[in-house]
Amino acid sequence: MSSLKNVVENRDNRAGRLFDYFIQVVILFALVVFSLETLPDLTPNARRWLHIAEIGIVIVFTAEYILRIIVASDRWKFVKSFYGVIDLLAILPFYLALGIDLKLLRTLRFFKLLRALKMFRYIRAASRLKQAVLLAKEEIVLFFIMTLLMLFFSAAGIYHFEHEAQPDKFSSVFHSLWWAVATLTTVGYGDMFPITTGGRIFTFFILIIGLSVLAVPTGLLASAMGEVRLKNEKEIEKLREENEKMDELEI
Amino acid sequence: MSSLKNVVENRDNRAGRLFDYFIQVVILFALVVFSLETLPDLTPNARRWLHIAEIGIVIVFTAEYILRIIVASDRWKFVKSFYGVIDLLAILPFYLALGIDLKLLRTLRFFKLLRALKMFRYIRAASRLKQAVLLAKEEIVLFFIMTLLMLFFSAAGIYHFEHEAQPDKFSSVFHSLWWAVATLTTVGYGDMFPITTGGRIFTFFILIIGLSVLAVPTGLLASAMGEVRLKNEKEIEKLREENEKMDELEI
Amino acid sequence: MSSLKNVVENRDNRAGRLFDYFIQVVILFALVVFSLETLPDLTPNARRWLHIAEIGIVIVFTAEYILRIIVASDRWKFVKSFYGVIDLLAILPFYLALGIDLKLLRTLRFFKLLRALKMFRYIRAASRLKQAVLLAKEEIVLFFIMTLLMLFFSAAGIYHFEHEAQPDKFSSVFHSLWWAVATLTTVGYGDMFPITTGGRIFTFFILIIGLSVLAVPTGLLASAMGEVRLKNEKEIEKLREENEKMDELEI
Amino acid sequence: MSSLKNVVENRDNRAGRLFDYFIQVVILFALVVFSLETLPDLTPNARRWLHIAEIGIVIVFTAEYILRIIVASDRWKFVKSFYGVIDLLAILPFYLALGIDLKLLRTLRFFKLLRALKMFRYIRAASRLKQAVLLAKEEIVLFFIMTLLMLFFSAAGIYHFEHEAQPDKFSSVFHSLWWAVATLTTVGYGDMFPITTGGRIFTFFILIIGLSVLAVPTGLLASAMGEVRLKNEKEIEKLREENEKMDELEI
C-alpha cells in the first residue's frame, strides 16, 4: 500500500516518475484526440477509432482518479482539492454523455482541457512566478482596472466620432468595444477602423496612452520575476556563507 | 454633522465604506445605462426605462455633490478642486438638457464617463504609479516628442514613396499620418499599406527604429515602478531595523 | 558682439531663451506648411499663401544660419559641425530650386524635416538616453543582426512553403521579405498571409522565436536607462556625502 | 603550417581578420544570389550569371572547409563539431545536385542560410546573451509551455463560439489554432476574426491574459541581460580593486 502511494504521489523514485510521464503523455494524446474530433468530413471509420481512443483515455483517467483517492492520506480532502475536482471534471462529461448525446452536455467536455494544468505541478519556476505575481499584485490590479476603463472610454469616444459615418459598424458602444479591444491590443484585424478625421485623431491619442497602460503589467511581472530570482539567489548565498563561518569557528 | 462628514469623506468606518461602495456601484450602473442608450432599434418602452434609470442616477449624484459641499471644511475649495469639478460635470449635462435636446449639448454627457476616475481615490498602488511617473517623467516626455517626430517623418516619407502609386490613399501628408499611426503602433488595420519597393524598404527602416521609440516609455514606467516598490520596502525595513537597535540600547 | 553671441548661443538669459523658442515655433510652422503643400485640390490662392509662408520660413532660417556663423568662435568648425550642415540643408533646397523646378531637387526638401532634430539640443534627458544606448550598444547591435537574419530566414522559409500555393503574392524571396517585416513586427496588414498548413506552422515557430528577438532591444534600452538614472542619483548622493564629511572635518 | 593555422583560426592578426571578413562577405553574397534565384521571369542570361556566381561561392566554401580541416588540431573533432557540420551542409547540396536536378534535393540548399550563423562566432555580446538565457531558462521554458497551452485553449474556445457562425473559417480546432497564433501574437492579419458576441467576449479575456503570457519571456530576457552586464562590470571592478590592494601591500 505504501509502495503504491510512492508511485502515485511521489516523484523521488523511478516508478513514480514513469507514472507521471505516462499520465502526461495521455493528457497530450487526449488533446490531440479532442482536436481531431472537430475536423469536418471525418469518415465513419475515423470517427469510430477516435471514439475508441476517447474510451481508452477515460479508462486511464478513471483509473488514475481512483488510485489517487485510494492512496490519499485524507480522501475527502483530496476529492475537494483543486486537482481532485479537475480529475473528476476530466472524466465526468464522458459518463454523463454515455447514453444520451445532448449538445449542451458535450460543451462540458471543454473542461477536459484543464487536465493540461496538472503539468504545472512539476515545474519549480512556477513558484517563482507565483511569488512575482504576489509581489506586483496591487499594480497589476490597478492596471487591469485602468485597462477596462480605457477600453470603455475608447469605445464611447469612437462611437461618438464614427457612429454617423459608419452606422452599420459602430452601431452602439458595445459594438465599438470590439473595435477598442482589437485596437488597444494592437491586433487590428481590419474589420472595423475609423474613417473620419476626428475618429482618427481620437484613435491616435487613445493608442499613445492606451498602449502604455496595457503593456505595463507585463513589464511589471517580468521585473518582479527578476527580483524574485535575485532574492532567492541571495538567500542561498547567505546560507552558504553562514555555513562557512560556522566551519571556521569550529576549527 | 461631524458624523456625516465621517460617512462622506472617510473610509475608516463601516458607514463611510458602504457610502463609497454604493457610489461606485452607481457609477458602474451609469456606464451600463450610457452604453445601452446607444443601442440601435431600442423599443420605446426600453427607452423609457433607460430614461428613468438616468434620472435616478442624476438624483444620486446630485445628492452626493450637495453632501460633499455641505461636509467640506472649505466649501469653495472643494467646488474648485479636481473632483469637485468632475462631480459637477457629471450632473450638469442632464440639467442643461432638461427642456431642450440639442445635439451639441448631448456631447457634454461624454464627461459623465470621468466619474469612473473617482474610483482611483481608493487604490493605494496608484500613489506608487504616480511616484514612478515622476521618476521617469523626463524620459517619457523625451520619448513622446520623439514619437511625434517619428510619426511625422514616417508620414512625409511614405507620402513621398507611395503618393504616385496610390494617390487616392496616400493623398497628402495628413492622410499618410493615419498610416504612420496604425503602422508604428503595430495595429496594422490593413486599410493602407505600401505597395512600391521603395515604400516597403522605407517602412522596414521606420519600423525597426520606430518600434523601439514607441515601446521604450512602457519599459521605463515598468522599471520605475519596480524601483519605487523596492525603495518603499527598503524604507520600511530601515525603520524596523532602527526600532530594533533602539530596543537593544534600552536593554 | 558678445551680447549677440549670448542671445544666439546661450539659454541662460531671457533674450537667448526667446530666440530659441522663436526658432522652434518657426520649425513647427515649417512642418505644417510642408504638410499643407501636399494636400490635393489646393486652390491657386492657397498655393500662393503657402509659397509666401515658405519664403518667410527660408528668410528666418537663412538669418539664423548667418547669425550662428557670425557669433561662432571657430566659424569653419561650426559650418562643418552636425547642426551647421543641418542648418544649411534646411535652406539649400529652396535656393537651388529658385529658378528651375526639377522633381529630383524637390526631394532634397525632405531634409528640411531634420530641422526638428535641433529641438533635442535642449532636452537634458537626451544625454541619459545617449549613455543608455552606449551601455547596451553591443547587445543592440547583436539583436539588430539577429533581426536581419531572422527576417531573411523567415522570408526564405515562407517562400518555400507558400510559393506554389500563392505564386502571385509570394513570388520571390524579396516579395516574401515584405511579409516577414509585416509579420515579425506584428503589424500584420493582411495583404499577405500563409494559407498552407506548412506555412502556418512555420509562421508559428518564426513568431514564437522572432518576437523575442525583435522586442528584446527595447527592453534592454529601458533597463539601461533605469540603470543610468540610478547611477546618476548615486553619484549626486556620493558628492553630497563627501561634502558633508569635509564639513565635519573642518569643524 | 602554423602560420596558415593563424590565418584560418585566429583573429589576433591582420591576415586572420582579412580571411574572416572575406568569408563573411561571401556569405552575404551567397544570400543575395539565393534570393535573386527565386525571382520570377529571369532571363536565361541572368540565370547563367547566377549559376556562375553559385559555382564561385561553392568553390570558396569548399576551399574554406578543406583549409579548416587541414589546420584543425583534431581533424575528426572539427568535422563532427557544430560549425564543421554547417560548413559541410553549406556545400553538400550543390555536389549532390550536380548531375541530377531533383526538386527534393534543392530544398537541402535551404541549410546554406545557416552559414550566416558563423558570424556569431565573432561577437562578444553573444556570450552575455547565452548567460542571460541560462539565467532565465526555467522561466522561459515555463512561459513557453504556458504559451502552447494558451494557444490550445484559445483555439478550442473560439472553435466552440464561432464554429456554427463561420463553419468555413473555424472548421476545426486546427484551423482555429491559426487564428489563435495570429491573434495572441497581435499580428491580426484579418483573414479570420470572431463575429459572434460570445466569441468576441472570449477573445477579450484571452487577449488580456494571453498578451501577458506571451510578452513576459522577452522582458525576462532583457532584465536577465541587464543583470549579466552588471555582474560582469562588478567582477571587473573587483579584480581591479584587488590588484590595487596588492600594489599597496608590496609598497
Side-chain angles (χ1 to χ4, degrees):
Chain A
M1 190 65 199
S2 119
S3 68
L4 186 64
K5 194 179 172 71
N6 274 337
V7 172
V8 176
E9 287 193 342
N10 298 333
R11 279 180 63 84
D12 52 12
N13 56 74
R14 199 182 152 79
R17 277 194 295 278
L18 275 176
F19 179 80
D20 277 357
Y21 290 140
F22 173 67
I23 294 295
Q24 285 178 40
V25 166
V26 176
I27 292 171
L28 291 178
F29 180 63
L31 294 188
V32 172
V33 168
F34 173 89
S35 301
L36 287 172
E37 277 172 3
T38 65
L39 276 176
D41 311 322
L42 283 175
T43 62
N45 207 23
R47 285 209 183 280
R48 201 166 49 242
W49 278 109
L50 285 172
H51 191 63
I52 291 167
E54 173 68 15
I55 290 169
I57 291 160
V58 172
I59 288 170
V60 171
F61 283 124
T62 308
E64 186 208 356
Y65 184 55
I66 291 167
L67 274 175
R68 284 196 193 277
I69 291 179
I70 289 171
V71 301
S73 316
D74 184 341
R75 282 167 197 179
W76 182 235
K77 199 183 160 194
F78 167 73
V79 172
K80 288 189 302 177
S81 74
F82 179 64
Y83 286 116
V85 172
I86 284 180
D87 282 341
L88 185 62
L89 284 174
I91 51 175
L92 213 62
F94 181 82
Y95 293 116
L96 288 175
L98 258 189
I100 42 173
D101 192 49
L102 291 167
K103 202 107 211 245
L104 203 74
L105 283 168
R106 279 185 67 84
T107 62
L108 266 170
R109 165 167 293 179
F110 187 61
F111 287 97
K112 204 160 79 179
L113 299 172
L114 287 168
R115 281 171 194 167
L117 273 175
K118 289 189 195 175
M119 285 157 73
F120 286 119
R121 270 199 236 174
Y122 313 123
I123 295 161
R124 202 171 44 145
S127 93
R128 282 211 287 269
L129 172 60
K130 212 171 150 186
Q131 281 177 269
V133 169
L134 284 174
L135 209 67
K137 196 181 60 182
E138 282 180 34
E139 272 86 357
I140 290 172
V141 169
L142 174 64
F143 274 93
F144 185 68
I145 294 171
M146 281 171 72
T147 298
L148 292 184
L149 281 177
M150 198 76 215
L151 287 173
F152 183 75
F153 272 76
S154 310
I158 206 72
Y159 171 79
H160 171 74
F161 283 112
E162 295 291 323
H163 176 57
E164 268 174 67
Q166 305 183 76
D168 53 324
K169 290 196 170 171
F170 294 88
S171 46
S172 78
V173 167
F174 295 104
H175 290 83
S176 305
L177 259 172
W178 173 242
W179 169 85
V181 168
T183 299
L184 281 172
T185 56
T186 76
V187 172
Y189 287 121
D191 54 340
M192 285 168 86
F193 46 80
I195 54 169
T196 66
T197 306
R200 287 178 170 188
I201 292 169
F202 177 77
T203 304
F204 165 68
F205 283 108
I206 280 295
L207 276 168
I208 292 292
I209 302 163
L211 291 187
S212 305
V213 171
L214 268 88
V216 165
T218 307
L220 283 173
L221 204 58
S223 71
M225 286 189 81
E227 217 180 291
V228 167
R229 199 177 50 230
L230 270 176
K231 269 185 189 166
N232 291 3
E233 275 173 17
K234 271 182 193 164
E235 273 167 26
I236 289 162
E237 212 170 314
K238 218 176 165 182
L239 279 172
R240 220 191 46 215
E241 276 175 17
E242 275 171 15
N243 283 343
E244 279 172 11
K245 274 185 192 166
M246 297 292 273
D247 291 353
E248 281 173 23
L249 283 172
E250 279 165 18
I251 299 163
Chain B
M1 190 65 198
S2 121
S3 68
L4 186 64
K5 194 180 171 70
N6 273 337
V7 172
V8 175
E9 287 193 343
N10 296 334
R11 278 179 64 84
D12 51 13
N13 55 75
R14 199 182 151 79
R17 277 194 295 276
L18 276 176
F19 179 80
D20 277 357
Y21 290 140
F22 173 67
I23 295 294
Q24 284 179 41
V25 167
V26 176
I27 292 171
L28 290 177
F29 180 64
L31 294 187
V32 172
V33 169
F34 174 88
S35 301
L36 287 173
E37 277 172 4
T38 65
L39 276 176
D41 311 323
L42 282 175
T43 61
N45 207 24
R47 285 208 184 281
R48 200 166 50 241
W49 279 109
L50 286 171
H51 192 62
I52 291 167
E54 173 69 16
I55 290 170
I57 291 159
V58 172
I59 289 170
V60 170
F61 284 124
T62 308
E64 186 209 356
Y65 184 55
I66 292 167
L67 273 174
R68 285 196 193 278
I69 291 180
I70 289 172
V71 302
S73 316
D74 184 342
R75 282 166 196 180
W76 183 233
K77 199 182 160 194
F78 167 73
V79 171
K80 288 189 302 177
S81 76
F82 179 63
Y83 286 116
V85 172
I86 283 179
D87 283 340
L88 185 62
L89 285 173
I91 50 174
L92 213 62
F94 181 83
Y95 293 117
L96 289 175
L98 259 189
I100 41 174
D101 191 49
L102 290 167
K103 201 105 210 242
L104 204 74
L105 283 168
R106 279 185 67 84
T107 62
L108 266 169
R109 165 166 296 180
F110 188 60
F111 287 98
K112 203 159 81 178
L113 299 172
L114 287 168
R115 281 172 194 166
L117 272 175
K118 289 189 194 175
M119 285 156 72
F120 286 119
R121 270 198 237 176
Y122 313 125
I123 295 161
R124 202 172 44 148
S127 93
R128 284 210 287 268
L129 172 59
K130 211 171 151 186
Q131 280 177 271
V133 169
L134 285 173
L135 209 66
K137 194 181 62 181
E138 282 180 34
E139 272 86 357
I140 290 173
V141 169
L142 173 65
F143 273 92
F144 185 68
I145 294 170
M146 281 171 72
T147 298
L148 292 183
L149 281 177
M150 199 76 215
L151 287 173
F152 183 75
F153 271 76
S154 309
I158 207 71
Y159 170 79
H160 171 75
F161 284 112
E162 296 291 323
H163 177 57
E164 267 173 68
Q166 307 182 76
D168 53 325
K169 289 195 170 171
F170 295 87
S171 46
S172 79
V173 168
F174 295 105
H175 290 84
S176 305
L177 258 172
W178 173 242
W179 169 86
V181 168
T183 298
L184 281 172
T185 57
T186 77
V187 171
Y189 286 121
D191 53 341
M192 285 168 85
F193 47 81
I195 54 169
T196 66
T197 305
R200 287 177 170 190
I201 292 169
F202 176 76
T203 304
F204 165 68
F205 283 108
I206 280 295
L207 275 169
I208 291 292
I209 302 164
L211 291 188
S212 306
V213 171
L214 268 88
V216 165
T218 307
L220 283 174
L221 204 58
S223 71
M225 285 189 80
E227 217 180 292
V228 167
R229 200 177 48 230
L230 270 175
K231 269 185 190 168
N232 290 5
E233 275 173 17
K234 271 182 191 162
E235 274 168 26
I236 289 163
E237 212 171 315
K238 218 176 165 182
L239 279 173
R240 220 192 46 215
E241 276 174 17
E242 276 172 14
N243 283 344
E244 280 172 10
K245 274 185 192 168
M246 296 291 274
D247 291 352
E248 281 172 23
L249 284 173
E250 279 167 18
I251 300 162
Chain C
M1 189 64 198
S2 120
S3 68
L4 186 63
K5 192 179 175 69
N6 273 338
V7 172
V8 175
E9 287 193 343
N10 297 335
R11 278 180 63 83
D12 51 12
N13 56 74
R14 197 182 153 80
R17 276 193 296 277
L18 275 176
F19 179 80
D20 276 358
Y21 290 139
F22 173 68
I23 295 294
Q24 284 179 41
V25 166
V26 176
I27 292 171
L28 290 177
F29 180 64
L31 293 188
V32 172
V33 168
F34 173 88
S35 301
L36 287 173
E37 276 172 3
T38 66
L39 276 176
D41 311 322
L42 282 174
T43 61
N45 206 25
R47 286 208 182 280
R48 199 165 53 239
W49 278 109
L50 286 171
H51 191 64
I52 291 167
E54 172 70 13
I55 290 170
I57 291 159
V58 172
I59 289 171
V60 170
F61 284 122
T62 309
E64 185 210 355
Y65 185 55
I66 292 168
L67 273 174
R68 285 197 193 276
I69 291 179
I70 289 172
V71 302
S73 317
D74 184 340
R75 281 167 197 179
W76 183 233
K77 198 183 160 194
F78 167 73
V79 171
K80 288 189 303 176
S81 75
F82 179 63
Y83 288 115
V85 172
I86 283 180
D87 283 340
L88 185 62
L89 285 173
I91 51 174
L92 213 62
F94 181 84
Y95 293 116
L96 288 174
L98 259 190
I100 42 174
D101 191 49
L102 290 167
K103 201 105 210 244
L104 203 74
L105 282 168
R106 280 186 66 86
T107 62
L108 264 169
R109 165 166 296 180
F110 188 60
F111 287 97
K112 203 161 79 178
L113 299 172
L114 287 168
R115 281 170 194 169
L117 272 175
K118 288 189 194 176
M119 284 157 72
F120 287 118
R121 270 199 237 176
Y122 313 125
I123 295 162
R124 203 173 43 148
S127 95
R128 283 210 287 269
L129 173 58
K130 212 171 152 186
Q131 280 177 271
V133 169
L134 285 173
L135 208 66
K137 195 181 62 183
E138 282 180 36
E139 272 86 357
I140 290 172
V141 170
L142 173 64
F143 274 92
F144 185 68
I145 293 171
M146 280 170 73
T147 298
L148 292 183
L149 281 177
M150 198 77 215
L151 287 172
F152 182 75
F153 272 77
S154 309
I158 206 72
Y159 170 79
H160 171 74
F161 284 112
E162 295 290 324
H163 177 57
E164 268 174 67
Q166 307 183 74
D168 53 323
K169 289 196 170 170
F170 295 87
S171 46
S172 79
V173 167
F174 294 105
H175 290 83
S176 305
L177 258 173
W178 173 241
W179 169 85
V181 168
T183 298
L184 281 172
T185 57
T186 77
V187 171
Y189 287 122
D191 53 340
M192 285 168 87
F193 47 80
I195 53 169
T196 65
T197 304
R200 288 179 169 187
I201 292 169
F202 176 77
T203 305
F204 165 68
F205 283 108
I206 281 295
L207 275 169
I208 291 292
I209 302 163
L211 291 188
S212 305
V213 171
L214 269 90
V216 165
T218 307
L220 283 173
L221 204 58
S223 71
M225 286 188 80
E227 217 179 292
V228 167
R229 200 178 48 229
L230 270 175
K231 269 185 189 167
N232 290 5
E233 275 173 18
K234 272 183 191 161
E235 273 167 27
I236 288 163
E237 211 172 316
K238 216 173 164 183
L239 280 173
R240 221 193 45 215
E241 275 174 18
E242 277 170 15
N243 283 344
E244 279 173 10
K245 275 185 192 165
M246 296 291 273
D247 291 353
E248 281 172 22
L249 284 173
E250 279 166 18
I251 299 163
Chain D
M1 189 65 198
S2 119
S3 68
L4 186 63
K5 192 179 174 69
N6 273 338
V7 172
V8 175
E9 288 193 342
N10 297 333
R11 279 180 62 84
D12 52 12
N13 57 74
R14 197 181 154 80
R17 276 194 296 277
L18 275 177
F19 179 79
D20 276 356
Y21 290 139
F22 173 67
I23 295 293
Q24 285 179 41
V25 166
V26 176
I27 292 172
L28 290 178
F29 180 64
L31 293 188
V32 172
V33 169
F34 174 88
S35 301
L36 286 173
E37 276 172 2
T38 66
L39 275 176
D41 310 322
L42 283 174
T43 61
N45 206 25
R47 285 206 183 281
R48 198 166 52 242
W49 278 108
L50 285 172
H51 191 64
I52 291 167
E54 173 67 15
I55 290 168
I57 291 160
V58 171
I59 289 169
V60 170
F61 284 123
T62 307
E64 186 208 357
Y65 185 54
I66 292 166
L67 274 174
R68 286 197 192 275
I69 290 179
I70 290 171
V71 301
S73 317
D74 183 341
R75 282 169 196 177
W76 183 233
K77 197 182 161 195
F78 168 73
V79 171
K80 288 190 302 177
S81 75
F82 179 65
Y83 287 116
V85 173
I86 284 180
D87 283 340
L88 186 61
L89 284 174
I91 51 175
L92 213 62
F94 181 84
Y95 293 116
L96 288 174
L98 258 190
I100 41 172
D101 192 47
L102 291 166
K103 201 109 211 241
L104 203 74
L105 282 168
R106 280 184 67 84
T107 62
L108 265 169
R109 165 166 295 178
F110 188 61
F111 287 97
K112 203 160 79 178
L113 299 172
L114 287 168
R115 279 171 195 166
L117 273 175
K118 288 190 195 175
M119 284 157 73
F120 287 118
R121 270 199 238 176
Y122 313 124
I123 296 162
R124 203 174 40 149
S127 94
R128 282 211 287 268
L129 172 59
K130 212 171 151 187
Q131 281 177 268
V133 170
L134 285 173
L135 208 67
K137 196 181 61 182
E138 283 180 34
E139 272 86 358
I140 290 172
V141 169
L142 173 65
F143 273 93
F144 185 68
I145 293 171
M146 280 171 73
T147 298
L148 292 183
L149 281 177
M150 198 78 214
L151 287 173
F152 183 75
F153 272 77
S154 309
I158 206 72
Y159 171 78
H160 171 73
F161 284 111
E162 296 290 324
H163 177 56
E164 268 174 67
Q166 305 182 77
D168 54 324
K169 290 196 170 171
F170 295 88
S171 46
S172 78
V173 167
F174 295 105
H175 290 83
S176 305
L177 259 173
W178 173 242
W179 169 86
V181 168
T183 298
L184 281 171
T185 57
T186 76
V187 171
Y189 286 122
D191 53 341
M192 285 168 86
F193 47 81
I195 54 168
T196 66
T197 305
R200 288 177 170 189
I201 292 169
F202 177 76
T203 305
F204 165 68
F205 283 108
I206 281 295
L207 277 169
I208 291 292
I209 302 164
L211 291 187
S212 306
V213 171
L214 269 89
V216 165
T218 309
L220 283 173
L221 205 59
S223 72
M225 286 188 80
E227 217 179 292
V228 167
R229 199 176 50 229
L230 270 175
K231 270 186 188 166
N232 290 5
E233 274 172 18
K234 271 183 192 162
E235 273 167 26
I236 290 162
E237 211 171 316
K238 217 174 163 183
L239 280 173
R240 221 191 46 215
E241 275 174 18
E242 276 170 15
N243 283 345
E244 280 174 9
K245 274 185 192 166
M246 296 291 272
D247 290 354
E248 281 173 23
L249 284 173
E250 278 165 20
I251 300 162

